[in-house]
Amino acid sequence: MATERLFTESDIQQLLDTNAAPPFGYRNVALIMGAVYWGLTPYELSMLSIRDVIAESGEFYRIWVLPAHSSYNGEQRECYTEDHVLPFFAGYVEWRIKEGLAVSNIPAHKGISPDSKFFLNDRGEAYKLSLRKKGSDEYQPRSMNEQLKRLIQKAGLQGATPSSFRDSFVRGLYENGCGWKDLMSVTGIKQKRTLERKIRPHEAELDKVFRTLFSRVKNPF
């Protein structure tokens, strides 16, 4: 059974480079980083607002809180925006201001309506949520999922899905030394078993695993 593709750093660069063209390049680049660096789910990407990440002063929060009502599991959690990724998001915000997308006549939050969604679709509107099924009160981020699929298709990354963004975020944290407790804290995933499924080798990587397994052992004959 095939498994989804996890993104390498070169894959992420390919996603950024192939989706950076006008008219929506700034949005696309910020959205890719929101998914793979902030580690937000498609639902969370759809729900994120300007006030969540930008202070009244107009500065981006370096550590900010994803509100409970915007999170996939109904619990708030801390997210980070370090200096090396800030330009991806700041460039998008400046583009929004130039395009006049949800701007206000109040200077706070860089002059953008603080309640507007951070990520806007090609029509300059929030990504809509869809009812999971008729009569249900559960919503799914179908519009955002389709957007992420388009970004992947444009980059030609076979085997990747919208889940690849967040799973690559989890895997990246683990490979850079993040412990289980911190992994649970920054992802909102409470079950260690769920995290283990995301960080163990995928089938597509097994050839690499076997190329390095006991590779330094010498045959005595």
Side-chain angles (χ1 to χ4, degrees):
M1 180 179 176
T3 58
E4 72 174 4
R5 176 175 183 164
L6 293 186
F7 298 136
T8 63
E9 202 163 271
S10 62
D11 289 337
I12 295 170
Q13 191 63 62
Q14 187 169 334
L15 278 163
L16 294 169
D17 291 343
T18 56
N19 286 286
F24 304 111
Y26 284 103
R27 189 277 317 280
N28 293 343
V29 163
L31 187 55
I32 290 165
M33 295 305 292
V36 80
Y37 183 85
W38 282 342
L40 302 182
T41 67
Y43 176 82
E44 293 166 347
L45 291 167
S46 303
M47 294 292 291
L48 190 69
S49 70
I50 287 291
R51 72 165 67 249
D52 294 332
V53 296
I54 299 178
E56 286 190 23
S57 66
E59 297 294 321
F60 275 81
Y61 294 116
R62 290 304 193 267
I63 301 177
W64 51 276
V65 176
L66 180 70
H69 66 81
S70 298
S71 72
Y72 80 98
N73 65 352
E75 295 184 15
Q76 69 179 33
R77 68 177 188 272
E78 285 187 347
C79 300
Y80 296 76
T81 307
E82 295 294 344
D83 288 343
H84 68 287
V85 297
L86 181 58
F88 295 95
F89 303 113
Y92 165 60
V93 169
E94 293 303 319
W95 174 81
R96 274 191 58 168
I97 293 170
K98 290 179 182 178
E99 295 293 315
L101 299 177
V103 295
S104 69
N105 56 5
I106 300 173
H109 302 283
K110 284 189 171 293
I112 303 177
S113 174
D115 292 322
S116 71
K117 300 306 182 188
F118 188 77
F119 294 110
L120 302 179
N121 63 22
D122 292 0
R123 297 182 299 278
E125 302 170 351
Y127 287 89
K128 293 182 179 179
L129 300 175
S130 307
L131 280 174
R132 190 168 296 277
K133 60 182 179 180
K134 189 174 181 180
S136 170
D137 59 355
E138 294 184 9
Y139 289 86
Q140 59 184 355
R142 184 175 300 166
S143 180
M144 180 60 74
N145 275 321
E146 291 303 316
Q147 176 69 77
L148 295 176
K149 288 177 183 178
R150 288 193 293 272
L151 298 176
I152 291 169
Q153 184 177 23
K154 182 76 172 178
L157 297 178
Q158 299 296 321
T161 71
S163 295
S164 297
F165 290 93
R166 179 164 156 86
D167 288 352
S168 299
F169 163 73
V170 175
R171 181 72 171 273
L173 290 174
Y174 177 78
E175 290 183 340
N176 281 278
C178 192
W180 291 108
K181 184 178 179 180
D182 287 335
L183 274 174
M184 292 177 183
S185 175
V186 298
T187 64
I189 298 173
K190 301 302 181 183
Q191 299 296 323
K192 185 178 178 181
R193 182 182 302 175
T194 302
L195 287 171
E196 287 176 333
R197 286 200 299 268
K198 296 179 182 300
I199 63 178
R200 68 186 181 189
H202 283 217
E203 288 178 12
E205 301 170 316
L206 285 178
D207 60 337
K208 180 180 178 181
V209 172
F210 281 107
R211 283 199 302 271
T212 58
L213 185 66
F214 304 133
S215 60
R216 296 182 181 181
V217 173
K218 302 297 183 182
N219 188 335
F221 297 104

